[in-house]
Amino acid sequence: MKDSVPGFEFALLGPVLGRYGGVDVDLGRPRRREVLAVLLAAAGRTVALPLLVDGVWDEGDRPARAEHSVRTHIWRLRQALARHTAEPVLVTVGEGYALRVPARAVDAWTFERALARAGEIRTSDGSAERAREVLSDALGLWKGEPLAGLRGPHARALRARFSGVRQSLLEARLELDAEIGDRSRLAAEAGALVMEYPASQRLRAVQMLALYRSGRQAEALGAYEDVRRYLAAELGHLPPRERGPDAELTALHRRILCSDPSLRLPEEAPGPRVPDGRAFPSRTDAFTGRAEQVRELTEMLTRPGTAAVVVSAVNGMAGVGKTTLAVHTAHGLDDAFPDGRLYADLRGADAEPLRPHAVLEEFLRELGTAEEDIPEGTDERVALYRTLLAERRMLLLPDNAASCEQLRPLIPGASGCAVLVSSRGRLPDCPEPATCVWTSCRPPRRSASCGGPSATGPWTPIPKRPSHSWPPAASCPSPCGSSPHAWRRNRAGRSRTWSAA
């Protein structure tokens, strides 16, 4: 209460107090304060005598002459108020009583009006700062337990009501703090309030958002799991679909999982988290001779109406051009998969193939997950990886796969993505949840002029010779077994000018 303002001021948001021009008003015994609290809560309206009796005493402890006791308390209150002003303040209206003081004179009236006032400000001029100031001023009126020391039924009801209003004010104020973005300790404050109001999903949302903006994505996701478990335990009597977090909190959880850039404040929002392709192999401009296989793979990977993830697998012996074929095909699918590509060499031919745990770490990093937010466990990495891909259209190229066990954790969970995998042998089982189509990568045909294998590019042009000196193409020897890889290695140590003779 402000001492500089003349007139009466009353407080309910703490011990029941009264002042006039900064001087304390002697309100007397607790029962008298209870009568005053009932009149103050009525906000100037008339309160009938029976309602005053019901508000001060429970049925079991009501005195025999309760109405007489109330009239006595009214008389004592009038005397106390009259010591400060001759103006009638506590008046009789019919069979009841009313307290005639301005609205600003009672802290609870301002307190309960603040939320509506903040909403009016946002509607009129959209100022989040001004709305937050109104809410902060109202919360500053809170001095502890409302009507402290009073135990009547009306006092108990007011305490519950004011506590609910305070929660709403705190939720709205913290939401504005998050919107404005100028509170460095918002995550800590939200966390403390969550302990006080564990069922508040609005406070949980602010806590999650503040943690995420502080670079603590894993803690933000953990906060969601905390409230999910709490609600499941506390709301066990409800149907299963009504026990969990609401749609708004669930959507926020999904956006945090996906590192949605729009969650960050405008000045700190990074660009879209799309893999930049630096880890993806480039294709050779000289690629020829595989047009039919490229067409088949493209059709498989972009087939419309497929409910499961499409896995197109290319198998063949070492050096036959599996990777080159897969990479060339992938580069032609940018329009079909606008959210980017992911590539990993699984080292299936090595003594120790690459473990999915390590591949997932690199994929999560490419998808924009901060280092400290990458989970330790493989199952957790798979869950986060699939969540990040759930609403994206991306093409994955796991190269040189060793087994389905190695490949299975890398398969996305949603049909918007596709996988183009290569392996030396045909893997026996298709990893779930996917639809597999296999394509064998055979050595390419030699060119009609006995040039080199065409999957990785033509040979250096052969010097012209009289046409009658060339043997028929079909009778040319098959250099390096028609293996593009072997031909490249063989060619690297020889002269750049070749002759078929």
Side-chain angles (χ1 to χ4, degrees), residues 31 53 56-70:
R31 292 293 188 196
V53 172
V56 174
W57 291 281
D58 286 305
E59 189 72 31
D61 64 356
R62 187 171 298 178
R65 302 180 64 191
E67 292 188 356
H68 175 76
S69 295
V70 169

Side-chain angles (χ1 to χ4, degrees), residues 381-390 408-413 432-433:
R381 290 184 178 185
V382 172
L384 177 56
Y385 164 72
R386 288 179 173 169
T387 302
L388 291 175
L389 293 180
R408 185 172 288 109
L410 308 180
I411 303 299
E432 296 180 359

Side-chain angles (χ1 to χ4, degrees), residues 33-77:
R33 293 173 187 262
E34 297 226 35
V35 172
L36 177 64
V38 174
L39 294 170
L40 288 172
R45 297 184 299 273
T46 301
V47 181
L49 182 59
L51 290 179
L52 283 167
V53 172
D54 291 341
V56 174
W57 291 281
D58 286 305
E59 189 72 31
D61 64 356
R62 187 171 298 178
R65 302 180 64 191
E67 292 188 356
H68 175 76
S69 295
V70 169
R71 289 192 180 97
T72 301
H73 289 309
I74 293 290
W75 180 72
R76 296 290 185 187
L77 284 171

Side-chain angles (χ1 to χ4, degrees), residues 171-194:
E171 290 168 342
R173 208 280 312 282
L174 263 69
E175 287 170 347
L176 288 173
D177 288 338
E179 179 182 340
I180 297 168
D182 61 352
R183 298 285 304 283
S184 59
R185 292 184 52 79
L186 182 58
E189 183 177 354
L193 288 172
V194 160

Side-chain angles (χ1 to χ4, degrees), residues 8 10 20 78 81-82 85-91 98-101:
F8 283 110
F10 296 96
Y20 184 88
R78 281 175 171 163
L81 298 174
T85 180
E87 295 290 327
V89 178
L90 180 50
V91 298
L99 199 62
R100 304 299 194 199
V101 293

Side-chain angles (χ1 to χ4, degrees), residues 210-241:
L211 287 170
Y212 174 72
R213 287 176 173 173
S214 301
R216 298 152 68 185
Q217 184 183 33
E219 291 179 61
L221 298 174
Y224 177 83
E225 289 303 312
D226 289 343
V227 70
R228 185 186 62 78
R229 286 192 292 267
Y230 177 85
L231 293 175
E234 293 296 314
L235 305 178
H237 59 287
L238 297 177
R241 66 179 180 278

Side-chain angles (χ1 to χ4, degrees), residues 307-331:
V309 178
V310 175
V311 177
S312 289
V314 179
N315 69 297
M317 67 181 188
V320 78
K322 301 182 299 297
T323 299
T324 303
L325 172 60
V327 168
H328 184 87
T329 302
H331 275 282

